[in-house]
Amino acid sequence: GRARLVGRVLAQSSGIARLPWHRVLRSNGCLAFPAGSASFDEQTRRLLVEGVLVRAGRIAPKFFIGERDLDAALWGPSTD
């Protein structure tokens, strides 16, 4: 519910902050950038490195099995 605030913080932060921008998704689970763009490819790559499954520009549904919400899935403690 705070997408604009998150966008503003990311835009105003310096590169030194090293915020995990690649974890920002649309409310429907889609990646934040248009398919085929360099940013889309980079976001996909970074999520894959973290073990997050991305299919057709969306976080794979099985990634959320057992999760109550997107925040818990992305920011909660690791289940490994």
Side-chain angles (χ1 to χ4, degrees), residues 32-80:
F33 301 99
S37 68
S39 297
F40 177 92
D41 293 342
E42 180 65 14
Q43 185 177 25
T44 300
R45 185 191 68 74
R46 288 179 182 226
L47 288 169
L48 291 172
V49 165
E50 291 185 347
V52 178
L53 301 175
V54 180
R55 293 188 183 139
R58 274 183 85 108
I59 299 304
K62 77 178 205 173
F63 177 73
F64 294 107
I65 291 176
E67 295 292 345
R68 301 189 99 182
D69 60 37
L70 183 60
D71 286 333
L74 292 175
W75 303 106
S78 174
T79 57
D80 295 334

Side-chain angles (χ1 to χ4, degrees), residues 2-37:
R2 300 271 187 230
R4 289 192 176 137
L5 176 61
V6 170
R8 199 171 314 128
V9 168
L10 289 172
Q12 293 175 357
S13 71
S14 67
I16 297 169
R18 302 182 62 106
L19 297 172
W21 62 267
H22 60 281
R23 294 180 181 170
V24 177
L25 304 170
R26 294 181 182 175
S27 62
N28 62 0
C30 288
L31 301 186
F33 301 99
S37 68

